[in-house]
Amino acid sequence: VSTQSTGSMVSRGVHQLQKLIFQYCPEGGSSAGVREYLSRISPEFKTLNPQVTTLEVPTPRKHPVVLGFYVHAMKDKAGNFRPRHIPLRNKTPEEIQHHVNQLLTSSGRRFPRVTDSQERKVKSIQGFWNPELPVDK
């Protein structure tokens, strides 16, 4: 498993991902991949990415999640910063590393939703296309 990402999200020289918190159950079956990741792969990730604070929080009888905290994070309606939340239930260490790399290479900002359909104000000069139109060869 490669712990090196293809690139890290840097804006104006500042890494956007500040902190990763792994929450997992110390004995639950759905957290087995997280426990293996933390013991085998995480130390190498920590040495390659010293700018990211990594915390491991055992939460008994809960499914595993990883929380990513960013410099420019999303805010909820109350104005509080919301972390990026990724469930890790029954994931392998390789899949967990993929999710961690996604967190590392993203900016933490929410993408705007495109709700309006795009429509032209000026109709086409050629007219609408119809599959039954004759094709000149």
Side-chain angles (χ1 to χ4, degrees), residues 118-124:
Q118 295 182 357
E119 209 173 280
R120 291 183 62 141
K121 294 189 181 217
V122 178
K123 300 296 180 187
S124 172

Side-chain angles (χ1 to χ4, degrees), residues 21-35:
I21 298 179
F22 289 93
Q23 297 176 344
Y24 65 98
C25 179
E27 57 237 4
S30 65
S31 297
V34 177
R35 290 191 303 268

